[in-house]
Amino acid sequence: MPRENRRRGKRKKNDIQEDLDEKEPVKLKELEDEGQPSWIETGHLNETSDPDAPFGLCDPDIKAYFRSVENQLKEWQDLGIEKENVSEEDSNLERRMFFSAALTEMQGKECMLATDPDCAVILERMIYSMDDLARRIFMNNLIGSVVELAKHRFGSHVLETLFELGASTVSRETQGILPTAQALPQFADQPTMSNLVAQFCKEITPTSPALVNEQFASHVLQRLITLLVPSLDFLREKTSFRSKRSAGYKSKQGSLKSVFEAAPDLPDTTRKTPPEFLSLAKEILNCIKEKFSASEIRALAADQVACPTLR
């Protein structure tokens, strides 16, 4: 039959279905060979993850709860310790029960809350009211996520506050002053603040060259080095570790202080640190020096973000 007289025939529906049935098992088999159930599509988690919420989005009910915690803490911070018609111990007991419930609710959600735009500042407010043991438990739950938190816009603020207030905890530990709850069996194996700082340094040191001129992490790095070397505290009188925008935002949050009895912090000049802290600081410095050449160091010295850290 001449080609021009030929007509394309329609494929039967059964033939099309047979072709589909032949292709589908291949795809399912590939997924099963990778160790995943056939109904799971792989390779999409990183594509859909939110860089602003690396640890997941905070549930609205959880955010509402911590907003109520913040409102109560603000009220107590404005009032101070009530001394009329109630003893100081009874007032603290009520507040500690409330605060303990908030800490329990926070367990396992620390990183998610620290990277939430609404809850991060609430965590900062709570750190001021944490005792030494609570700060250590909170810090221990951040292990493994330190670098990611340091690079985050809000997580970096939480780390800065934790390092700033944790310095007093380290000083008390160095002088043998430990919380009474440390004697309880459930807290016997809880790492000290000094040990936790060393673990944080192990996470940060390999990536410290990249953090020097990182917008948010550079401030965390400055605060960490000052924690390790108390003699650098004088730098706070000349410059603020926080950016102007961060400092302005924090000033709008009102008074940030403990809602419990005021425990006078040791002056910076008398702050004590373990001998190994100096070695940790030198490791960070050496890692940065080995990564950059002399010309690169000079270029970073002129960088608006990196300059304060190098100084």
Side-chain angles (χ1 to χ4, degrees), residues 64-273:
Y65 171 76
F66 280 99
R67 285 197 191 100
S68 68
V69 171
E70 180 185 34
N71 292 335
Q72 183 63 77
L73 293 179
K74 282 183 176 180
E75 180 181 342
W76 282 337
Q77 286 171 341
D78 293 338
L79 290 175
I81 300 295
E82 299 178 1
K83 294 186 177 181
E84 294 183 1
N85 301 324
V86 63
S87 66
E88 183 173 320
E89 290 76 10
D90 291 338
S91 176
N92 277 330
L93 178 60
E94 177 186 355
R95 297 182 182 193
R96 291 190 187 282
M97 291 177 64
F98 176 87
F99 194 69
S100 177
L103 293 177
T104 301
E105 180 63 32
M106 185 178 64
Q107 285 284 323
K109 309 181 186 73
E110 291 86 356
C111 293
M112 179 181 66
L113 293 171
T115 51
D116 183 85
D118 298 318
C119 295
V121 69
I122 301 177
L123 286 193
E124 289 188 72
R125 189 179 298 278
M126 292 179 66
I127 293 173
Y128 276 87
S129 294
M130 291 181 185
D131 60 17
D132 290 346
L133 183 59
R135 286 176 188 167
R136 287 158 51 190
I137 295 174
F138 175 74
M139 194 169 180
N140 191 37
N141 290 333
L142 302 182
I143 294 293
S145 306
V146 180
V147 174
E148 195 162 7
L149 287 172
K151 293 180 178 180
H152 194 272
R153 178 180 179 182
F154 302 107
S156 60
H157 297 165
V158 175
L159 289 183
E160 286 184 64
T161 300
L162 185 59
F163 290 158
E164 178 184 0
L165 301 179
S168 298
T169 301
V170 170
S171 183
R172 284 188 284 270
E173 289 179 352
T174 306
Q175 299 176 72
I177 305 173
L178 299 175
T180 55
Q182 182 72 38
L184 298 177
Q186 61 267 36
F187 301 123
D189 297 329
Q190 182 65 38
T192 63
M193 181 66 78
S194 301
N195 291 335
L196 292 169
V197 170
Q199 292 185 53
F200 271 43
C201 289
K202 289 181 179 180
E203 286 191 44
I204 290 179
T205 298
T207 60
S208 57
L211 303 183
V212 169
N213 62 340
E214 210 281 332
Q215 182 180 6
F216 305 117
S218 60
H219 299 283
V220 176
L221 189 59
Q222 294 175 50
R223 182 70 69 179
L224 176 60
I225 293 175
T226 307
L227 169 61
L228 297 173
V229 186
S231 59
L232 296 177
D233 280 333
F234 73 94
L235 291 175
R236 285 190 296 182
E237 301 176 1
K238 297 183 178 181
T239 182
S240 174
F241 290 120
R242 287 180 178 264
S243 65
K244 293 182 179 179
R245 186 175 182 180
S246 172
Y249 177 77
K250 187 176 180 180
S251 65
K252 296 178 181 178
Q253 304 306 313
S255 175
L256 291 177
K257 58 184 180 181
S258 175
V259 298
F260 306 114
E261 68 274 7
D265 286 333
L266 296 172
D268 292 336
T269 54
T270 62
R271 188 160 62 84
K272 307 296 183 182
T273 56

Side-chain angles (χ1 to χ4, degrees), residues 274-289:
E276 59 268 21
F277 270 24
L278 185 59
S279 299
L280 294 172
K282 288 181 178 179
E283 287 179 10
I284 296 176
L285 179 61
N286 290 335
C287 185
I288 295 174
K289 290 171 64 177

